[in-house]
Amino acid sequence: MKTYLVTGGAGFIGSNFIHYMLGKYGDSIEIINVDKLTYAGNLENLKDVENLPNYHFVKADICDKDAIRAVFHDYDVDRVIHFAAESHVDRSIREPELFVKTNVLGTANMLNCAKEAWELPDGSFREGKKFCHVSTDEVYGSLPEDPDAYFYETTPYQPHSPYSASKASSDMLVKAYHDTYGFPMNITNCSNNYGPYQFPEKLIPLMINNALAGRKLPVYGDGRNVRDWLYVEDHCKAIDLVSEKGISGETYNVGGHNEKQNIEIVKTIIEVLREELSDDDPRKANVSEDLIEYVEDRKGHDRRYAIAPDKIHKELGWLPETMFREGIRMTIKWYFDHMDWMEHITSGNYQQYYEKMYGDRKVIG
């Protein structure tokens, strides 16, 4: 039985990864989910697996050396899948120190604890161990509005926000541990994810939730910033593949081949919502482009991201499977089926945060 330590497993991508892995491998694997349960970590994301004998939850901060050491002591960990991170750019602009602590110091602690558990007396590492660090395309900075320009694994880092700078720093640490100690690792840099269980501070669930409530849809600047969108299950498949077949020390870019302007995303969500809502649903009358409201642009807002997944396709055979409109429709249907989940998380601390970030353009009444 292979044992996976998944950090941030109660968050958006982490919980999707756990669902995917348990669905694919069943009881032939063991998963330990380590999560601090900040505002974006939600154990409701994993209610359907919480009683499985091969799934274990540990409430811990990745910066807590004793807690993380204890996990490695209690379980013979084969893979670390390191999702845990502060990830919202707007929040990083307001609270940059928090991002440095979690994303840089937390990653350093994870590396040190894994190295301590896996290293042999001669300085080599136990066979079959690997640390997979999940990062972002934002470390590369911004691309020109040239359809032939892409981020590659060789693209120099040029982060522009406290969030992306903290992720770039953590990437560098992981690489340094490989170069210095021969530490077994891979890094994945992914494009924007979307899909089930995404916390509604992010663009797509925010727009779905606001539109259904008849609230304004805040769009930064002119709305023409371009992002490459990746359906979360496609990303989970890529991480699984990299953890098993990726060459130690290598970085793999994971892109969706779904480049869209932000305003295009918002308009697509409106169109698909109107298609999916029945004519007798009172919410349908509220869902229109009249809800779109352009707001002051974000500080340091990168213009365009686009990832070339050539390397992961050539070396490991991965390509994204879900085109954007199909993925948006699946995502909207999931939210329709899980409105209780949305209602539970769009309250309390999140409501206060939303008002602070976006003023009176509320998610809920």
Side-chain angles (χ1 to χ4, degrees):
M1 178 180 286
K2 192 170 291 182
T3 299
Y4 292 76
L5 194 173
V6 179
T7 69
F12 164 46
I13 305 178
S15 61
N16 274 280
F17 180 76
I18 289 172
H19 280 116
Y20 172 75
M21 294 295 284
L22 290 172
K24 180 177 179 180
Y25 296 106
D27 59 7
S28 67
I29 64 170
E30 183 176 35
I31 289 181
I32 302 98
N33 172 15
V34 172
D35 200 297
K36 186 181 177 181
L37 296 183
T38 61
Y39 74 98
N42 184 356
L43 288 180
E44 287 191 54
N45 297 356
L46 295 158
K47 287 186 73 171
D48 55 338
V49 303
E50 64 186 6
N51 294 319
L52 294 177
N54 57 326
Y55 168 79
H56 314 279
F57 172 69
V58 177
K59 187 176 187 296
D61 186 339
I62 59 170
C63 295
D64 185 335
K65 184 177 295 186
D66 291 338
I68 300 303
R69 274 180 171 168
V71 174
F72 278 96
H73 178 270
D74 293 343
Y75 300 95
D76 183 13
V77 175
D78 299 295
R79 296 281 187 277
V80 173
I81 312 295
H82 182 40
F83 294 106
E86 295 285 347
S87 65
H88 190 44
V89 176
D90 288 348
R91 191 179 288 266
S92 81
I93 293 169
R94 288 180 174 266
E95 302 176 271
E97 298 91 345
L98 176 62
F99 283 67
V100 173
K101 180 181 178 183
T102 300
N103 297 355
V104 183
L105 299 182
T107 298
N109 187 51
M110 290 300 306
L111 289 165
N112 285 332
C113 291
K115 177 177 178 292
E116 183 180 273
W118 295 343
E119 192 170 24
L120 296 170
D122 65 358
S124 64
F125 288 87
R126 293 168 59 194
E127 187 175 351
K129 308 298 184 182
K130 188 183 282 185
F131 189 105
C132 294
H133 176 64
V134 182
S135 190
T136 171
D137 57 0
E138 296 190 42
V139 299
Y140 296 121
S142 185
L143 285 169
E145 296 183 48
D146 175 354
D148 295 324
Y150 291 94
F151 293 138
Y152 293 90
E153 288 81 359
T154 54
T155 301
Y157 278 20
Q158 195 175 10
H160 291 145
S161 71
Y163 162 60
S164 56
S166 68
K167 290 298 290 185
S169 300
S170 65
D171 290 7
M172 294 295 184
L173 271 174
V174 177
K175 291 177 182 179
Y177 271 60
H178 176 267
D179 294 347
T180 303
Y181 307 111
F183 184 76
M185 50 67 67
N186 287 122
I187 295 171
T188 58
N189 294 93
C190 70
S191 56
N192 284 33
N193 279 221
Y194 68 101
Y197 301 110
Q198 188 168 27
F199 194 78
E201 67 183 359
K202 301 292 188 177
L203 177 66
I204 288 174
L206 175 65
M207 296 302 159
I208 293 171
N209 198 36
N210 275 24
L212 289 173
R215 303 294 182 185
K216 291 294 185 181
L217 307 180
V219 176
Y220 282 125
D222 63 4
R224 297 188 183 280
N225 299 73
V226 174
R227 298 295 182 262
D228 178 17
W229 293 91
L230 177 66
Y231 190 64
V232 66
E233 185 172 291
D234 288 345
H235 187 196
C236 294
K237 292 176 181 179
I239 294 168
D240 178 29
L241 196 59
V242 169
S243 76
E244 290 305 307
K245 298 183 179 179
I247 299 169
S248 182
E250 293 296 311
T251 292
Y252 296 92
N253 280 353
V254 186
H257 277 317
N258 283 303
E259 282 187 62
K260 306 288 181 185
Q261 293 180 343
N262 286 346
I263 190 61
E264 186 180 357
I265 296 292
V266 176
K267 290 181 178 180
T268 299
I269 289 170
I270 292 169
E271 290 173 9
V272 176
L273 278 171
R274 290 190 60 80
E275 291 169 5
E276 292 296 327
L277 289 166
S278 63
D279 290 338
D280 59 355
D281 191 319
R283 295 175 297 179
K284 188 168 185 174
N286 296 325
V287 178
S288 76
E289 292 186 12
D290 292 340
L291 295 175
I292 295 172
E293 180 176 78
Y294 293 93
V295 299
E296 182 181 354
D297 206 357
R298 169 193 284 161
K299 294 180 176 67
H301 199 183
D302 292 330
R303 192 63 172 173
R304 177 174 175 259
Y305 302 148
I307 275 191
D310 301 15
K311 179 178 177 179
I312 191 172
H313 174 57
K314 181 179 179 181
E315 293 188 7
L316 306 181
W318 179 89
L319 276 177
E321 300 172 16
T322 309
M323 296 310 295
F324 184 75
R325 196 173 184 91
E326 174 193 356
I328 279 291
R329 193 175 301 278
M330 290 191 294
T331 300
I332 286 172
K333 286 182 176 179
W334 185 89
Y335 281 109
F336 280 173
D337 292 339
H338 296 82
M339 292 306 296
D340 56 339
W341 177 91
M342 181 67 82
E343 289 169 6
H344 288 167
I345 64 170
T346 53
S347 60
N349 290 339
Y350 174 68
Q351 180 64 28
Q352 297 168 21
Y353 163 77
Y354 186 87
E355 290 172 356
K356 182 169 66 175
M357 296 305 304
Y358 299 109
D360 61 0
R361 292 175 287 277
K362 297 179 182 178
V363 175
I364 57 177

